[in-house]
Every structure is written in structure tokens, then in C-alpha cells.
Amino acid sequence: MALVTEQSSSRRSRARRSRPALVAGFLGLVAALLMTLVSAPDRASAASPPTPRLVYQNTVTEGDGPRTPDIISTSANDAVVVWREGTTASVITSPANSVFDHGYIRYSYTTDGGVTWSRPQTLAQETSEYSWHYVELYKTGNRIFAYMGRTAITNYSGLPIDAVVAKESTDGGHTWHDFTIDMPLNPTTDASLPGKQNLALAGRPVQMANGLYVMPYWASKRENGVLYSVDLVKWTAAGPVPNPTDHLPGEPQLVISQDDPNKLLMVARSKPPVDGAASFALTATADVTKTTTETGTVVKVSWSPFRLDTNVPNNDSKGYFTKDSTGRYLTIYNTKTDPIRQAMNYRTKNTGTAAWSSSELFADPTGPNDPTPAGTGAGWDTYPMADEYAPGKFFVVWEHDTSAILVSRLDISDR
């Protein structure tokens, strides 16, 4: 936030001007102001991306650094950020294999609108047995949930996922306690057993008008779909989204459609058949019905097939997609392909319109960077997640350089 200060007045005396000169000068000033108003660009196109705030930086981790963050706000001043810290690789001894996509889960919170952040604390510790693949947040009322995928510490990658564990906070993410959930996960390699293999969560749940909670997932063989629940405890998998395209979907986000309160819109990362090619997100819609009978609740989710959506760019990286409190769509996505993931843009779409806004630059900071970069993540700005703290106003978090977690604000309220 910029502070406007009054300049000190000059002590130098000025020559008195004649009345005609004063009038002519005044008219000239008015004309200049009118020309400025006519020629000035609109605020959204003229504004530069705000300078992000550093939540956390780690340049010495043995894994792939602080990654996959998420954020939830409880007011314009209060928010909590979670992320995965690269594993210390304490029990992995082979130097021939890199360690990636797992570690331990940390969090930090702000009470001054993101100006400062608390000392990072541990949400889920890496142990001699377990490590963690991902973390996703969800807020309902005064409750915040953190969903985390667990894996064995001896794995080089974050797969296979052998459990999904939840934590709950009722004080804005300052403290957490265990919350027991029942997820349809098959932790073995036996595909004949019930449940999904490698059940991964990359997008938040949403609650429909009928009270049903639905949460997007992706699993082995790039299967994408939704889990549903009536109590946030027991989750059931609905049928997967058909994919007739030659693009591979993943890390889906979920919103309630602008067009129908009983219809879901899924927006998924898209891996094109040609590596490095610019592409678009895969989208699908679903009609959802919920019927309560004497024996329980019956839910039916009917998906349309995935299709490439040319309104939503995606270059094989997790993008963020949401619908704000006014019904407006917002997507934040990576734009560059060579090198990949070096900047993020955003677009919006208002209700009742078919057109999307033009793309605007959201983030492309020059630092802070690891002075000794390693791997493919040098300079990345990617994996955005956001949360609305006032109508059309968001906290946005993302990973930078695979060594830092950054937060900024985005205001789309006048778009």
C-alpha cells in the first residue's frame, strides 16, 4: 500500500501574475486535464502487478524446495498459508536418484494483511516412515480443513499415496488438531480392490445449494472426477470424467457453473501430446442430483466429456480457477512455454456474458532467487492458489523459484 504524503512548501517567493495571464493559465490547465482523462488507459490495464510479500524462503533443502502452497483468508487482514517443504532425504541414501514431490507440511499466518508472516510451524512432520505429497485447504464457517496426501519416506517421488489425512483449525489457522476422514483410497497396487489408487487433491471442495460437498480429485492413469460428502467426514467417489482428447488432464479445480446452480464445472491442467506446446485447459460439466431415501442419500453425477477450452490457457501446469462471490470467473495460469512457468497471467468472465476479459500480467518477479539454483525450477512462478477476502478481492499465493512462497493481492472488483 502506497502512502501519500504532502510535500513541504517552498519558501521561494513567486512573481505576481496578471489577471489575464491567470485566466489563460487556468484554461490551459483545464484543457490539459481533459486531454489526460481522455487519453489515460483504464486502471486495470495501466496497473503494474503489485510487489509480492515473501512468506518463506529455503535455499538449502535437500528435496525440491517449498512448493504446492495454498491460502485461506478469514478477513482482509487475516490469512493462513500452507505448503510442502522439500524432504530432508534422511533415509534415502542413493545419490543417483533425485528426491521430489514429497516432504513435510508447514504453515504460516498473517494478522496485518500479509505485510508480515508468523514463524513457520509444522502441520505434518516428516518421520522415519512417512512423508507428504500435497496439502489443500477448505473453509466453511469458522472451520478450516487441511487435506494432506501421505507417502512412504523411502520413495523418491511422492507416489504412491498410501493415506489421506486431515487437520482442522477453528482459530484462523493459528493452531490445528486431527480431524478423522474416510476417503475412497486404495493404498495398494491391486486395482481389483475398491478405491482410487494415488488419490490426489489439488482443488478445494465446494458446497452446492442442496448441501452436498463436492471435491475434485485426480488419480492413477490421469483419472479425474469428484468426491462427494454430506458431512465432510465420509467421502465417496463418483464416476470419472470421460476424456476423448489426446491431452492428459490433472490437478483439477471445481466451481458451480455460472449457468446452473445444479451444474459443476471442472477445469483441469492439460498436458499436450507434444511436449512444450502451448495449450489450453480441459473443461467438463456435470449435472448433480441428490436424493434422500429411507436407506440414505443417493447422489448421481453425470459428466460431459473433457474438451479443450480456448478461453482458459494452460501450459501443463497447475492453474487456479474459481467463481467469486459475485458469480465472476477468475483463472490464474502460467503463460510461458520456453522456459516454462516463468510468469502468470489472469483472466475473468462476468455472469451473463460470453466473452472473457483480455489477459493481464499477475506475477513475474525477479526474486528472491536461490543463489545456487538446482533442477528445473529456477525462476518459476507457478502453482497459484487464492482466496477471496472481500467481493472481487483476493489473497493469492504461489511458489517462486522452488525456493520461496510468495503472496500478493488481486483486485478484480471493477472488471
Side-chain angles (χ1 to χ4, degrees):
M1 180 181 295
L3 296 178
V4 179
T5 58
E6 213 175 55
Q7 291 185 348
S8 58
S9 60
S10 172
R11 294 289 184 179
R12 181 184 304 172
S13 62
R14 291 174 291 182
R16 173 175 284 182
R17 303 176 66 182
S18 66
R19 187 177 185 85
L22 288 172
V23 172
F26 176 76
L27 292 176
L29 178 60
V30 170
L33 287 173
L34 288 174
M35 285 299 295
T36 300
L37 291 173
V38 169
S39 61
D42 63 87
R43 187 188 70 80
S45 62
S48 299
T51 301
R53 294 283 182 172
L54 175 66
V55 176
Y56 176 76
Q57 185 178 24
N58 184 350
T59 61
V60 297
T61 179
E62 296 176 52
D64 58 347
R67 295 203 57 201
T68 66
D70 200 359
I71 189 167
I72 285 291
S73 61
T74 54
S75 76
N77 289 320
D78 298 274
V80 59
V81 168
V82 294
W83 66 91
R84 183 187 71 225
E85 190 86 12
T87 178
T88 58
S90 57
V91 298
I92 300 176
T93 57
S94 173
N97 294 283
S98 60
V99 180
F100 60 94
D101 284 353
H102 66 117
Y104 61 108
I105 307 301
R106 305 189 82 182
Y107 73 98
S108 180
Y109 56 83
T110 181
T111 58
D112 57 13
V115 176
T116 60
W117 293 84
S118 68
R119 177 182 60 82
Q121 299 180 60
T122 299
L123 186 61
Q125 182 61 57
E126 172 190 69
T127 71
S128 60
E129 294 182 84
Y130 299 120
S131 188
W132 303 90
H133 182 282
Y134 61 80
V135 56
E136 289 296 322
L137 297 177
Y138 174 61
K139 178 183 69 179
T140 176
N142 71 333
R143 305 166 76 190
I144 301 175
F145 296 95
Y147 300 95
M148 299 171 290
R150 196 183 71 187
T151 189
I153 188 65
T154 52
N155 297 324
Y156 294 103
S157 76
L159 299 177
I161 295 169
D162 62 23
V164 181
V165 176
K167 298 273 189 176
E168 181 186 19
S169 174
T170 56
D171 59 3
H174 293 209
T175 62
W176 297 83
H177 56 266
D178 292 339
F179 183 80
T180 301
I181 56 174
D182 181 0
M183 284 283 183
L185 172 69
N186 173 9
T188 76
T189 58
D190 186 351
S192 66
L193 296 176
K196 305 297 180 182
Q197 291 178 306
N198 295 317
L199 186 66
L201 309 175
R204 294 203 190 105
V206 295
Q207 187 174 24
M208 305 192 71
N210 60 16
L212 192 70
Y213 297 97
V214 284
M215 176 160 46
Y217 75 84
W218 63 313
S220 291
K221 299 181 179 179
R222 290 283 185 140
E223 178 184 299
N224 289 242
V226 293
L227 313 175
Y228 62 85
S229 176
V230 296
D231 56 9
L232 292 172
V233 175
K234 180 175 176 56
W235 294 86
T236 303
V241 183
N243 180 29
T245 77
D246 56 0
H247 290 237
L248 298 178
E251 296 177 313
Q253 310 283 299
L254 196 68
V255 299
I256 297 172
S257 170
Q258 285 182 338
D259 305 317
D260 186 339
N262 295 312
K263 189 182 291 287
L264 297 175
L265 171 64
M266 177 176 285
V267 181
R269 167 182 176 171
S270 172
K271 180 177 176 59
V274 178
D275 285 344
S279 187
F280 301 93
L282 290 164
T283 62
T285 59
D287 293 307
V288 181
T289 60
K290 171 190 168 189
T291 305
T292 301
T293 68
E294 292 181 356
T295 57
T297 300
V298 178
V299 175
K300 183 178 180 181
V301 181
S302 302
W303 286 105
S304 69
F306 270 131
R307 66 178 183 86
L308 282 177
D309 190 332
T310 56
N311 291 306
V312 187
N314 183 274
N315 292 328
D316 192 21
S317 179
K318 178 181 175 178
Y320 177 70
F321 195 99
T322 194
K323 187 175 75 170
D324 72 8
S325 57
T326 71
R328 181 193 295 111
Y329 286 159
L330 165 67
T331 181
I332 307 174
Y333 53 91
N334 281 120
T335 54
K336 295 183 179 180
T337 59
D338 186 19
I340 65 169
R341 302 183 182 180
Q342 298 291 308
M344 292 187 296
N345 279 26
Y346 71 95
R347 304 186 79 185
T348 61
K349 178 183 176 295
N350 291 324
T351 56
T353 64
W356 283 76
S357 72
S358 59
S359 295
E360 299 283 352
L361 179 65
F362 171 69
D364 189 15
T366 57
N369 289 350
D370 186 343
T372 57
T376 59
W380 277 6
D381 286 291
T382 191
Y383 274 61
M385 290 293 286
D387 196 40
E388 187 182 25
Y389 63 85
K393 299 180 180 182
F394 291 82
F395 283 108
V396 186
V397 68
W398 70 99
E399 60 177 62
H400 172 77
D401 193 54
T402 58
S403 65
I405 302 298
L406 300 182
V407 167
S408 189
R409 294 185 188 238
L410 177 61
D411 185 352
I412 61 170
S413 59
D414 62 350
R415 294 181 68 88

